[in-house]
Amino acid sequence: MRRIVLAGGSGFLGRALAAHFTGQGDNVVVLTRSPRPGRADGVAEIAWDGCDPGPWETSLDGADAVINLAGRSVNCRHTAAHRAEILASRLDSVRAVGQAICRAAHPPRVWIQAGSLAIYGDAGDTICDETTPAASGFPAEVCQRWEAAFDAEPTPDTRRVLLRIGFVLGRDGGALEMLARLTRWGLGGAAGDGRQWISWMHLADFVRCVAWALTEPEARGVYNVTGPNPVTNRELMRALRSIQRRPWSPPIPAAFVRIGAWLLGTEGELALTGRRCLPRRLQEEGFWFVQPGLRPALTDILQPTTS
């Protein structure tokens, strides 16, 4: 039985990983700000604040892997205070995990660290792989500092993998849930001109990718964690309308997207910018996708819950 520690593992992606690993017979420990005792699935939850040393560190000693997903959601208005929280939550959690690994008598075998494809900025039609330079702007600069903090932690006895995660499609969480709901309400038009690229991945492939990084001894360094077939926003919304049997919807002008995002407490640029990323290293190193096509992936996710 392996012991796998999920730092910040109570969100959409963490829940999927916990379900997968417990289904494999692994001992899963979730580090969270709000631990719940006695979970029915057998997952242990331990309190941590994402930055300070504490009793949670003992869970890393002798663990097979620590997977750090911690970080304040960017799905908010990017006020000065929220920007500071977005950055600090990422840097602090990386430093906390790194220092706990260094203090462990038996360090985890592998540290898998979440990152983001936002490091490439609003890249237009440029195809981005792991060799593409980082962009400028707040999201990209957060990602650069996030990765630099990871690189700065000395953990010589622990294999390290950094996953630049894209738009993960799944049930019961993530951005797809809101987009599908808007489409059912008749608001399924493209955002702005609809030409912004979306680098997406089915949740099942995301889970498989993390499991692959955990068990593949040669997996090291940075990987784009996205599917092989990015699409434009216009293509995504068209597919959502078709699968949910909704009629054509007019595009939503960028100004209205920004106003709507403000009313929803988020940032319009999250919907109006994008990047066209490919998982070059994953494919070169033998990873294969069970859901590479958008329409089959959306059908698998949405069809059971739609009439």
Side-chain angles (χ1 to χ4, degrees), residues 66-105:
V66 56
I67 303 168
N68 184 19
L69 304 169
R72 190 203 196 283
S73 173
V74 299
N75 186 20
C76 61
R77 294 177 190 160
H78 289 183
T79 63
H82 286 166
R83 288 185 179 215
E85 291 173 5
I86 288 167
L87 179 61
S89 64
R90 285 156 173 76
L91 303 189
D92 290 346
S93 70
V94 167
R95 291 168 184 151
V97 170
Q99 291 167 12
I101 290 174
C102 289
R103 287 191 285 266

PDB file of all heavy atoms in Angstrom, residues 66-105:
ATOM      1  N   VAL A  66       4.122  13.173  -2.659  1.00  0.00           N
ATOM      2  CA  VAL A  66       3.345  14.332  -2.252  1.00  0.00           C
ATOM      3  C   VAL A  66       2.974  15.076  -3.529  1.00  0.00           C
ATOM      4  O   VAL A  66       3.818  15.313  -4.398  1.00  0.00           O
ATOM      5  CB  VAL A  66       4.110  15.235  -1.264  1.00  0.00           C
ATOM      6  CG1 VAL A  66       5.450  15.685  -1.817  1.00  0.00           C
ATOM      7  CG2 VAL A  66       3.246  16.445  -0.884  1.00  0.00           C
ATOM      8  N   ILE A  67       1.692  15.389  -3.645  1.00  0.00           N
ATOM      9  CA  ILE A  67       1.163  16.093  -4.809  1.00  0.00           C
ATOM     10  C   ILE A  67       0.605  17.412  -4.308  1.00  0.00           C
ATOM     11  O   ILE A  67      -0.359  17.437  -3.539  1.00  0.00           O
ATOM     12  CB  ILE A  67       0.064  15.266  -5.508  1.00  0.00           C
ATOM     13  CG1 ILE A  67       0.611  13.897  -5.921  1.00  0.00           C
ATOM     14  CG2 ILE A  67      -0.491  16.018  -6.717  1.00  0.00           C
ATOM     15  CD1 ILE A  67      -0.467  12.915  -6.363  1.00  0.00           C
ATOM     16  N   ASN A  68       1.223  18.520  -4.711  1.00  0.00           N
ATOM     17  CA  ASN A  68       0.826  19.827  -4.180  1.00  0.00           C
ATOM     18  C   ASN A  68      -0.045  20.561  -5.189  1.00  0.00           C
ATOM     19  O   ASN A  68       0.426  21.027  -6.228  1.00  0.00           O
ATOM     20  CB  ASN A  68       2.056  20.669  -3.847  1.00  0.00           C
ATOM     21  CG  ASN A  68       1.662  21.996  -3.207  1.00  0.00           C
ATOM     22  OD1 ASN A  68       0.550  22.156  -2.706  1.00  0.00           O
ATOM     23  ND2 ASN A  68       2.577  22.954  -3.241  1.00  0.00           N
ATOM     24  N   LEU A  69      -1.332  20.666  -4.858  1.00  0.00           N
ATOM     25  CA  LEU A  69      -2.312  21.372  -5.691  1.00  0.00           C
ATOM     26  C   LEU A  69      -2.717  22.711  -5.084  1.00  0.00           C
ATOM     27  O   LEU A  69      -3.616  23.369  -5.613  1.00  0.00           O
ATOM     28  CB  LEU A  69      -3.569  20.507  -5.857  1.00  0.00           C
ATOM     29  CG  LEU A  69      -3.369  19.104  -6.434  1.00  0.00           C
ATOM     30  CD1 LEU A  69      -4.647  18.289  -6.288  1.00  0.00           C
ATOM     31  CD2 LEU A  69      -2.960  19.172  -7.900  1.00  0.00           C
ATOM     32  N   ALA A  70      -2.088  23.116  -3.998  1.00  0.00           N
ATOM     33  CA  ALA A  70      -2.552  24.267  -3.233  1.00  0.00           C
ATOM     34  C   ALA A  70      -2.357  25.563  -4.006  1.00  0.00           C
ATOM     35  O   ALA A  70      -1.378  25.755  -4.729  1.00  0.00           O
ATOM     36  CB  ALA A  70      -1.815  24.338  -1.899  1.00  0.00           C
ATOM     37  N   GLY A  71      -3.306  26.458  -3.813  1.00  0.00           N
ATOM     38  CA  GLY A  71      -3.239  27.781  -4.423  1.00  0.00           C
ATOM     39  C   GLY A  71      -4.626  28.392  -4.485  1.00  0.00           C
ATOM     40  O   GLY A  71      -5.578  27.724  -4.884  1.00  0.00           O
ATOM     41  N   ARG A  72      -4.736  29.657  -4.115  1.00  0.00           N
ATOM     42  CA  ARG A  72      -6.035  30.334  -4.164  1.00  0.00           C
ATOM     43  C   ARG A  72      -6.540  30.362  -5.598  1.00  0.00           C
ATOM     44  O   ARG A  72      -5.790  30.602  -6.535  1.00  0.00           O
ATOM     45  CB  ARG A  72      -5.907  31.769  -3.654  1.00  0.00           C
ATOM     46  CG  ARG A  72      -7.255  32.457  -3.447  1.00  0.00           C
ATOM     47  CD  ARG A  72      -7.143  33.967  -3.481  1.00  0.00           C
ATOM     48  NE  ARG A  72      -8.313  34.618  -2.918  1.00  0.00           N
ATOM     49  CZ  ARG A  72      -9.489  34.746  -3.533  1.00  0.00           C
ATOM     50  NH1 ARG A  72      -9.661  34.220  -4.738  1.00  0.00           N
ATOM     51  NH2 ARG A  72     -10.488  35.378  -2.951  1.00  0.00           N
ATOM     52  N   SER A  73      -7.825  30.130  -5.789  1.00  0.00           N
ATOM     53  CA  SER A  73      -8.403  30.134  -7.124  1.00  0.00           C
ATOM     54  C   SER A  73      -8.230  31.497  -7.788  1.00  0.00           C
ATOM     55  O   SER A  73      -8.386  32.548  -7.147  1.00  0.00           O
ATOM     56  CB  SER A  73      -9.894  29.783  -7.060  1.00  0.00           C
ATOM     57  OG  SER A  73     -10.496  29.938  -8.329  1.00  0.00           O
ATOM     58  N   VAL A  74      -7.919  31.486  -9.090  1.00  0.00           N
ATOM     59  CA  VAL A  74      -7.843  32.732  -9.859  1.00  0.00           C
ATOM     60  C   VAL A  74      -9.224  33.173 -10.318  1.00  0.00           C
ATOM     61  O   VAL A  74      -9.359  34.242 -10.929  1.00  0.00           O
ATOM     62  CB  VAL A  74      -6.902  32.585 -11.067  1.00  0.00           C
ATOM     63  CG1 VAL A  74      -5.492  32.265 -10.603  1.00  0.00           C
ATOM     64  CG2 VAL A  74      -7.409  31.524 -12.049  1.00  0.00           C
ATOM     65  N   ASN A  75     -10.252  32.360 -10.046  1.00  0.00           N
ATOM     66  CA  ASN A  75     -11.618  32.678 -10.449  1.00  0.00           C
ATOM     67  C   ASN A  75     -12.217  33.666  -9.455  1.00  0.00           C
ATOM     68  O   ASN A  75     -13.075  33.334  -8.635  1.00  0.00           O
ATOM     69  CB  ASN A  75     -12.455  31.402 -10.535  1.00  0.00           C
ATOM     70  CG  ASN A  75     -13.842  31.656 -11.086  1.00  0.00           C
ATOM     71  OD1 ASN A  75     -14.083  32.673 -11.734  1.00  0.00           O
ATOM     72  ND2 ASN A  75     -14.762  30.746 -10.821  1.00  0.00           N
ATOM     73  N   CYS A  76     -11.718  34.895  -9.528  1.00  0.00           N
ATOM     74  CA  CYS A  76     -12.137  35.966  -8.630  1.00  0.00           C
ATOM     75  C   CYS A  76     -11.801  37.288  -9.307  1.00  0.00           C
ATOM     76  O   CYS A  76     -11.119  37.319 -10.330  1.00  0.00           O
ATOM     77  CB  CYS A  76     -11.424  35.865  -7.275  1.00  0.00           C
ATOM     78  SG  CYS A  76      -9.618  36.019  -7.401  1.00  0.00           S
ATOM     79  N   ARG A  77     -12.278  38.373  -8.751  1.00  0.00           N
ATOM     80  CA  ARG A  77     -11.850  39.682  -9.251  1.00  0.00           C
ATOM     81  C   ARG A  77     -10.406  39.903  -8.852  1.00  0.00           C
ATOM     82  O   ARG A  77     -10.039  39.713  -7.687  1.00  0.00           O
ATOM     83  CB  ARG A  77     -12.736  40.782  -8.674  1.00  0.00           C
ATOM     84  CG  ARG A  77     -14.178  40.717  -9.142  1.00  0.00           C
ATOM     85  CD  ARG A  77     -15.018  41.785  -8.466  1.00  0.00           C
ATOM     86  NE  ARG A  77     -16.437  41.574  -8.735  1.00  0.00           N
ATOM     87  CZ  ARG A  77     -17.423  42.080  -8.010  1.00  0.00           C
ATOM     88  NH1 ARG A  77     -17.142  42.831  -6.959  1.00  0.00           N
ATOM     89  NH2 ARG A  77     -18.679  41.837  -8.329  1.00  0.00           N
ATOM     90  N   HIS A  78      -9.599  40.336  -9.793  1.00  0.00           N
ATOM     91  CA  HIS A  78      -8.170  40.458  -9.532  1.00  0.00           C
ATOM     92  C   HIS A  78      -7.843  41.821  -8.921  1.00  0.00           C
ATOM     93  O   HIS A  78      -7.105  42.637  -9.489  1.00  0.00           O
ATOM     94  CB  HIS A  78      -7.373  40.212 -10.816  1.00  0.00           C
ATOM     95  CG  HIS A  78      -7.404  38.778 -11.242  1.00  0.00           C
ATOM     96  ND1 HIS A  78      -6.711  38.291 -12.324  1.00  0.00           N
ATOM     97  CD2 HIS A  78      -8.046  37.701 -10.707  1.00  0.00           C
ATOM     98  CE1 HIS A  78      -6.937  36.995 -12.450  1.00  0.00           C
ATOM     99  NE2 HIS A  78      -7.744  36.615 -11.486  1.00  0.00           N
ATOM    100  N   THR A  79      -8.400  42.043  -7.741  1.00  0.00           N
ATOM    101  CA  THR A  79      -8.049  43.224  -6.964  1.00  0.00           C
ATOM    102  C   THR A  79      -6.623  43.070  -6.445  1.00  0.00           C
ATOM    103  O   THR A  79      -6.035  41.979  -6.495  1.00  0.00           O
ATOM    104  CB  THR A  79      -9.010  43.387  -5.786  1.00  0.00           C
ATOM    105  OG1 THR A  79      -8.854  42.241  -4.919  1.00  0.00           O
ATOM    106  CG2 THR A  79     -10.459  43.468  -6.256  1.00  0.00           C
ATOM    107  N   ALA A  80      -6.086  44.152  -5.913  1.00  0.00           N
ATOM    108  CA  ALA A  80      -4.726  44.083  -5.371  1.00  0.00           C
ATOM    109  C   ALA A  80      -4.641  43.051  -4.254  1.00  0.00           C
ATOM    110  O   ALA A  80      -3.678  42.279  -4.164  1.00  0.00           O
ATOM    111  CB  ALA A  80      -4.294  45.461  -4.875  1.00  0.00           C
ATOM    112  N   ALA A  81      -5.664  43.025  -3.394  1.00  0.00           N
ATOM    113  CA  ALA A  81      -5.652  42.064  -2.281  1.00  0.00           C
ATOM    114  C   ALA A  81      -5.736  40.633  -2.801  1.00  0.00           C
ATOM    115  O   ALA A  81      -5.019  39.740  -2.310  1.00  0.00           O
ATOM    116  CB  ALA A  81      -6.806  42.353  -1.331  1.00  0.00           C
ATOM    117  N   HIS A  82      -6.596  40.373  -3.775  1.00  0.00           N
ATOM    118  CA  HIS A  82      -6.721  39.019  -4.313  1.00  0.00           C
ATOM    119  C   HIS A  82      -5.455  38.603  -5.055  1.00  0.00           C
ATOM    120  O   HIS A  82      -5.050  37.437  -4.981  1.00  0.00           O
ATOM    121  CB  HIS A  82      -7.932  38.933  -5.242  1.00  0.00           C
ATOM    122  CG  HIS A  82      -9.236  38.937  -4.525  1.00  0.00           C
ATOM    123  ND1 HIS A  82     -10.443  39.137  -5.155  1.00  0.00           N
ATOM    124  CD2 HIS A  82      -9.540  38.777  -3.199  1.00  0.00           C
ATOM    125  CE1 HIS A  82     -11.420  39.084  -4.267  1.00  0.00           C
ATOM    126  NE2 HIS A  82     -10.895  38.875  -3.079  1.00  0.00           N
ATOM    127  N   ARG A  83      -4.844  39.521  -5.772  1.00  0.00           N
ATOM    128  CA  ARG A  83      -3.584  39.185  -6.453  1.00  0.00           C
ATOM    129  C   ARG A  83      -2.517  38.773  -5.456  1.00  0.00           C
ATOM    130  O   ARG A  83      -1.769  37.816  -5.676  1.00  0.00           O
ATOM    131  CB  ARG A  83      -3.099  40.379  -7.285  1.00  0.00           C
ATOM    132  CG  ARG A  83      -3.926  40.632  -8.523  1.00  0.00           C
ATOM    133  CD  ARG A  83      -3.340  41.753  -9.370  1.00  0.00           C
ATOM    134  NE  ARG A  83      -4.118  41.970 -10.574  1.00  0.00           N
ATOM    135  CZ  ARG A  83      -3.608  42.325 -11.743  1.00  0.00           C
ATOM    136  NH1 ARG A  83      -2.310  42.520 -11.865  1.00  0.00           N
ATOM    137  NH2 ARG A  83      -4.381  42.504 -12.791  1.00  0.00           N
ATOM    138  N   ALA A  84      -2.450  39.493  -4.345  1.00  0.00           N
ATOM    139  CA  ALA A  84      -1.463  39.146  -3.321  1.00  0.00           C
ATOM    140  C   ALA A  84      -1.747  37.761  -2.751  1.00  0.00           C
ATOM    141  O   ALA A  84      -0.818  36.969  -2.509  1.00  0.00           O
ATOM    142  CB  ALA A  84      -1.472  40.195  -2.210  1.00  0.00           C
ATOM    143  N   GLU A  85      -3.034  37.436  -2.538  1.00  0.00           N
ATOM    144  CA  GLU A  85      -3.393  36.117  -2.018  1.00  0.00           C
ATOM    145  C   GLU A  85      -3.089  35.017  -3.034  1.00  0.00           C
ATOM    146  O   GLU A  85      -2.620  33.932  -2.664  1.00  0.00           O
ATOM    147  CB  GLU A  85      -4.880  36.084  -1.667  1.00  0.00           C
ATOM    148  CG  GLU A  85      -5.253  36.943  -0.466  1.00  0.00           C
ATOM    149  CD  GLU A  85      -6.754  37.021  -0.261  1.00  0.00           C
ATOM    150  OE1 GLU A  85      -7.482  36.322  -1.011  1.00  0.00           O
ATOM    151  OE2 GLU A  85      -7.202  37.760   0.621  1.00  0.00           O
ATOM    152  N   ILE A  86      -3.373  35.258  -4.299  1.00  0.00           N
ATOM    153  CA  ILE A  86      -3.094  34.271  -5.356  1.00  0.00           C
ATOM    154  C   ILE A  86      -1.613  33.930  -5.369  1.00  0.00           C
ATOM    155  O   ILE A  86      -1.225  32.753  -5.414  1.00  0.00           O
ATOM    156  CB  ILE A  86      -3.561  34.815  -6.720  1.00  0.00           C
ATOM    157  CG1 ILE A  86      -5.094  34.803  -6.799  1.00  0.00           C
ATOM    158  CG2 ILE A  86      -2.964  34.003  -7.866  1.00  0.00           C
ATOM    159  CD1 ILE A  86      -5.659  35.597  -7.974  1.00  0.00           C
ATOM    160  N   LEU A  87      -0.770  34.942  -5.326  1.00  0.00           N
ATOM    161  CA  LEU A  87       0.673  34.707  -5.357  1.00  0.00           C
ATOM    162  C   LEU A  87       1.168  34.059  -4.068  1.00  0.00           C
ATOM    163  O   LEU A  87       1.881  33.047  -4.100  1.00  0.00           O
ATOM    164  CB  LEU A  87       1.401  36.024  -5.605  1.00  0.00           C
ATOM    165  CG  LEU A  87       2.932  35.944  -5.637  1.00  0.00           C
ATOM    166  CD1 LEU A  87       3.405  35.018  -6.753  1.00  0.00           C
ATOM    167  CD2 LEU A  87       3.536  37.335  -5.796  1.00  0.00           C
ATOM    168  N   ALA A  88       0.794  34.616  -2.925  1.00  0.00           N
ATOM    169  CA  ALA A  88       1.306  34.114  -1.651  1.00  0.00           C
ATOM    170  C   ALA A  88       0.888  32.669  -1.409  1.00  0.00           C
ATOM    171  O   ALA A  88       1.684  31.859  -0.905  1.00  0.00           O
ATOM    172  CB  ALA A  88       0.827  35.005  -0.502  1.00  0.00           C
ATOM    173  N   SER A  89      -0.336  32.303  -1.759  1.00  0.00           N
ATOM    174  CA  SER A  89      -0.800  30.942  -1.508  1.00  0.00           C
ATOM    175  C   SER A  89       0.025  29.921  -2.275  1.00  0.00           C
ATOM    176  O   SER A  89       0.246  28.796  -1.796  1.00  0.00           O
ATOM    177  CB  SER A  89      -2.278  30.817  -1.876  1.00  0.00           C
ATOM    178  OG  SER A  89      -2.484  31.013  -3.267  1.00  0.00           O
ATOM    179  N   ARG A  90       0.490  30.284  -3.438  1.00  0.00           N
ATOM    180  CA  ARG A  90       1.309  29.375  -4.236  1.00  0.00           C
ATOM    181  C   ARG A  90       2.741  29.293  -3.711  1.00  0.00           C
ATOM    182  O   ARG A  90       3.292  28.207  -3.512  1.00  0.00           O
ATOM    183  CB  ARG A  90       1.290  29.817  -5.710  1.00  0.00           C
ATOM    184  CG  ARG A  90      -0.034  29.472  -6.396  1.00  0.00           C
ATOM    185  CD  ARG A  90      -0.326  30.361  -7.599  1.00  0.00           C
ATOM    186  NE  ARG A  90      -1.510  29.894  -8.305  1.00  0.00           N
ATOM    187  CZ  ARG A  90      -2.764  30.076  -7.873  1.00  0.00           C
ATOM    188  NH1 ARG A  90      -2.975  30.704  -6.726  1.00  0.00           N
ATOM    189  NH2 ARG A  90      -3.788  29.625  -8.582  1.00  0.00           N
ATOM    190  N   LEU A  91       3.336  30.458  -3.480  1.00  0.00           N
ATOM    191  CA  LEU A  91       4.726  30.462  -3.021  1.00  0.00           C
ATOM    192  C   LEU A  91       4.842  29.845  -1.627  1.00  0.00           C
ATOM    193  O   LEU A  91       5.758  29.041  -1.369  1.00  0.00           O
ATOM    194  CB  LEU A  91       5.269  31.888  -3.008  1.00  0.00           C
ATOM    195  CG  LEU A  91       5.227  32.669  -4.316  1.00  0.00           C
ATOM    196  CD1 LEU A  91       5.997  33.979  -4.174  1.00  0.00           C
ATOM    197  CD2 LEU A  91       5.778  31.857  -5.475  1.00  0.00           C
ATOM    198  N   ASP A  92       3.931  30.190  -0.742  1.00  0.00           N
ATOM    199  CA  ASP A  92       4.009  29.686   0.641  1.00  0.00           C
ATOM    200  C   ASP A  92       3.848  28.174   0.692  1.00  0.00           C
ATOM    201  O   ASP A  92       4.561  27.486   1.446  1.00  0.00           O
ATOM    202  CB  ASP A  92       2.946  30.350   1.515  1.00  0.00           C
ATOM    203  CG  ASP A  92       3.226  31.817   1.771  1.00  0.00           C
ATOM    204  OD1 ASP A  92       4.354  32.259   1.496  1.00  0.00           O
ATOM    205  OD2 ASP A  92       2.307  32.520   2.239  1.00  0.00           O
ATOM    206  N   SER A  93       2.908  27.627  -0.092  1.00  0.00           N
ATOM    207  CA  SER A  93       2.684  26.181  -0.030  1.00  0.00           C
ATOM    208  C   SER A  93       3.871  25.415  -0.594  1.00  0.00           C
ATOM    209  O   SER A  93       4.245  24.358  -0.067  1.00  0.00           O
ATOM    210  CB  SER A  93       1.402  25.803  -0.780  1.00  0.00           C
ATOM    211  OG  SER A  93       1.543  25.950  -2.182  1.00  0.00           O
ATOM    212  N   VAL A  94       4.486  25.938  -1.649  1.00  0.00           N
ATOM    213  CA  VAL A  94       5.669  25.274  -2.200  1.00  0.00           C
ATOM    214  C   VAL A  94       6.799  25.261  -1.180  1.00  0.00           C
ATOM    215  O   VAL A  94       7.459  24.235  -0.959  1.00  0.00           O
ATOM    216  CB  VAL A  94       6.114  25.967  -3.506  1.00  0.00           C
ATOM    217  CG1 VAL A  94       7.510  25.500  -3.925  1.00  0.00           C
ATOM    218  CG2 VAL A  94       5.113  25.692  -4.621  1.00  0.00           C
ATOM    219  N   ARG A  95       7.025  26.400  -0.545  1.00  0.00           N
ATOM    220  CA  ARG A  95       8.103  26.472   0.464  1.00  0.00           C
ATOM    221  C   ARG A  95       7.809  25.552   1.644  1.00  0.00           C
ATOM    222  O   ARG A  95       8.715  24.884   2.164  1.00  0.00           O
ATOM    223  CB  ARG A  95       8.266  27.919   0.933  1.00  0.00           C
ATOM    224  CG  ARG A  95       8.847  28.832  -0.142  1.00  0.00           C
ATOM    225  CD  ARG A  95       8.730  30.283   0.242  1.00  0.00           C
ATOM    226  NE  ARG A  95       9.204  31.158  -0.831  1.00  0.00           N
ATOM    227  CZ  ARG A  95       8.754  32.390  -1.046  1.00  0.00           C
ATOM    228  NH1 ARG A  95       7.823  32.898  -0.235  1.00  0.00           N
ATOM    229  NH2 ARG A  95       9.225  33.117  -2.040  1.00  0.00           N
ATOM    230  N   ALA A  96       6.545  25.500   2.077  1.00  0.00           N
ATOM    231  CA  ALA A  96       6.195  24.645   3.211  1.00  0.00           C
ATOM    232  C   ALA A  96       6.425  23.181   2.888  1.00  0.00           C
ATOM    233  O   ALA A  96       6.999  22.428   3.696  1.00  0.00           O
ATOM    234  CB  ALA A  96       4.733  24.882   3.605  1.00  0.00           C
ATOM    235  N   VAL A  97       5.993  22.762   1.708  1.00  0.00           N
ATOM    236  CA  VAL A  97       6.194  21.361   1.312  1.00  0.00           C
ATOM    237  C   VAL A  97       7.676  21.066   1.152  1.00  0.00           C
ATOM    238  O   VAL A  97       8.176  20.036   1.623  1.00  0.00           O
ATOM    239  CB  VAL A  97       5.417  21.050   0.018  1.00  0.00           C
ATOM    240  CG1 VAL A  97       5.819  19.688  -0.532  1.00  0.00           C
ATOM    241  CG2 VAL A  97       3.922  21.102   0.261  1.00  0.00           C
ATOM    242  N   GLY A  98       8.407  21.957   0.499  1.00  0.00           N
ATOM    243  CA  GLY A  98       9.831  21.735   0.303  1.00  0.00           C
ATOM    244  C   GLY A  98      10.594  21.620   1.605  1.00  0.00           C
ATOM    245  O   GLY A  98      11.446  20.737   1.777  1.00  0.00           O
ATOM    246  N   GLN A  99      10.290  22.491   2.563  1.00  0.00           N
ATOM    247  CA  GLN A  99      10.987  22.440   3.849  1.00  0.00           C
ATOM    248  C   GLN A  99      10.605  21.202   4.642  1.00  0.00           C
ATOM    249  O   GLN A  99      11.457  20.608   5.331  1.00  0.00           O
ATOM    250  CB  GLN A  99      10.674  23.719   4.633  1.00  0.00           C
ATOM    251  CG  GLN A  99      11.314  24.953   4.009  1.00  0.00           C
ATOM    252  CD  GLN A  99      10.777  26.260   4.564  1.00  0.00           C
ATOM    253  OE1 GLN A  99      10.072  26.274   5.585  1.00  0.00           O
ATOM    254  NE2 GLN A  99      11.079  27.359   3.882  1.00  0.00           N
ATOM    255  N   ALA A 100       9.343  20.771   4.531  1.00  0.00           N
ATOM    256  CA  ALA A 100       8.935  19.538   5.220  1.00  0.00           C
ATOM    257  C   ALA A 100       9.660  18.328   4.635  1.00  0.00           C
ATOM    258  O   ALA A 100      10.051  17.411   5.377  1.00  0.00           O
ATOM    259  CB  ALA A 100       7.424  19.364   5.106  1.00  0.00           C
ATOM    260  N   ILE A 101       9.834  18.315   3.326  1.00  0.00           N
ATOM    261  CA  ILE A 101      10.580  17.217   2.688  1.00  0.00           C
ATOM    262  C   ILE A 101      12.018  17.198   3.196  1.00  0.00           C
ATOM    263  O   ILE A 101      12.567  16.132   3.517  1.00  0.00           O
ATOM    264  CB  ILE A 101      10.540  17.360   1.156  1.00  0.00           C
ATOM    265  CG1 ILE A 101       9.130  17.075   0.632  1.00  0.00           C
ATOM    266  CG2 ILE A 101      11.547  16.419   0.495  1.00  0.00           C
ATOM    267  CD1 ILE A 101       8.954  17.334  -0.857  1.00  0.00           C
ATOM    268  N   CYS A 102      12.621  18.367   3.296  1.00  0.00           N
ATOM    269  CA  CYS A 102      14.009  18.435   3.765  1.00  0.00           C
ATOM    270  C   CYS A 102      14.152  17.963   5.212  1.00  0.00           C
ATOM    271  O   CYS A 102      15.195  17.407   5.583  1.00  0.00           O
ATOM    272  CB  CYS A 102      14.530  19.870   3.636  1.00  0.00           C
ATOM    273  SG  CYS A 102      14.802  20.398   1.935  1.00  0.00           S
ATOM    274  N   ARG A 103      13.127  18.154   6.019  1.00  0.00           N
ATOM    275  CA  ARG A 103      13.199  17.747   7.421  1.00  0.00           C
ATOM    276  C   ARG A 103      12.805  16.286   7.637  1.00  0.00           C
ATOM    277  O   ARG A 103      12.995  15.750   8.732  1.00  0.00           O
ATOM    278  CB  ARG A 103      12.294  18.645   8.265  1.00  0.00           C
ATOM    279  CG  ARG A 103      12.818  20.056   8.463  1.00  0.00           C
ATOM    280  CD  ARG A 103      12.036  20.798   9.516  1.00  0.00           C
ATOM    281  NE  ARG A 103      10.735  21.221   9.042  1.00  0.00           N
ATOM    282  CZ  ARG A 103      10.463  22.409   8.514  1.00  0.00           C
ATOM    283  NH1 ARG A 103      11.438  23.302   8.374  1.00  0.00           N
ATOM    284  NH2 ARG A 103       9.235  22.716   8.123  1.00  0.00           N
ATOM    285  N   ALA A 104      12.266  15.648   6.610  1.00  0.00           N
ATOM    286  CA  ALA A 104      11.795  14.269   6.769  1.00  0.00           C
ATOM    287  C   ALA A 104      12.966  13.294   6.871  1.00  0.00           C
ATOM    288  O   ALA A 104      13.938  13.383   6.110  1.00  0.00           O
ATOM    289  CB  ALA A 104      10.908  13.884   5.589  1.00  0.00           C
ATOM    290  N   ALA A 105      12.867  12.355   7.804  1.00  0.00           N
ATOM    291  CA  ALA A 105      13.900  11.317   7.902  1.00  0.00           C
ATOM    292  C   ALA A 105      13.899  10.427   6.669  1.00  0.00           C
ATOM    293  O   ALA A 105      14.956   9.960   6.220  1.00  0.00           O
ATOM    294  CB  ALA A 105      13.661  10.484   9.165  1.00  0.00           C
TER     295      ALA A 105
END
